[in-house]
Amino acid sequence: MLADAPAATATQAVGVGEREFAIAIYRPKVHRGKVKFNVRNLGEDVHDLVVTRKGKRVGALATIVKPGASATLRLTLKKTGAYRLICTVADHEARGMRATLRVVK
Ligand SMILES: [Cu+2]
């Protein structure tokens, strides 16, 4: 918990759909606090998920996600602003597997 500012206390679920080659975020804006990314691979290749803010890695899935499989990533996003969700498998990011999640107060 942050002492200096209010943050969401309940975990906010964010659905993330991955496929070749795009990342769809079903909830593009959340409040600061706990976020649970429910990641589903809707494609035919393996994918992963890395979350960054201002170029710094905030967190990532521990494992790669196989086609048709799901994975969960729990993070506490303490700072407001734009977070990037990317897939770091091969050249997937350059091919379009990137999305933005906005975190507001
Ligand atoms: Cu990928």
Side-chain angles (χ1 to χ4, degrees):
M1 291 290 290
L2 287 175
D4 58 342
T9 51
T11 298
Q12 304 162 94
V14 176
V16 177
E18 297 192 304
R19 62 178 172 79
E20 304 81 33
F21 289 97
I23 296 179
I25 304 182
Y26 299 110
R27 185 176 181 180
K29 194 168 85 175
V30 295
H31 293 280
R32 274 186 306 187
K34 293 179 202 163
V35 176
K36 179 186 173 197
F37 294 97
N38 295 319
V39 184
R40 184 152 181 88
N41 184 347
L42 305 167
E44 298 174 349
D45 296 346
V46 298
H47 297 296
D48 67 7
L49 185 72
V50 175
V51 179
T52 66
R53 181 180 178 277
K54 292 187 175 178
K56 286 187 180 174
R57 189 182 178 106
V58 176
L61 279 177
T63 58
I64 231 155
V65 189
K66 292 178 181 170
S70 298
T72 300
L73 172 62
R74 290 174 179 275
L75 293 176
T76 300
L77 304 179
K78 296 174 184 169
K79 295 176 179 170
T80 59
Y83 287 72
R84 298 273 283 171
L85 276 63
I86 59 174
C87 174
T88 65
V89 172
D91 59 351
H92 291 189
E93 180 186 2
R95 293 175 83 168
M97 292 196 71
R98 51 186 187 262
T100 302
L101 175 70
R102 300 222 159 262
V103 176
V104 299
K105 270 194 177 180

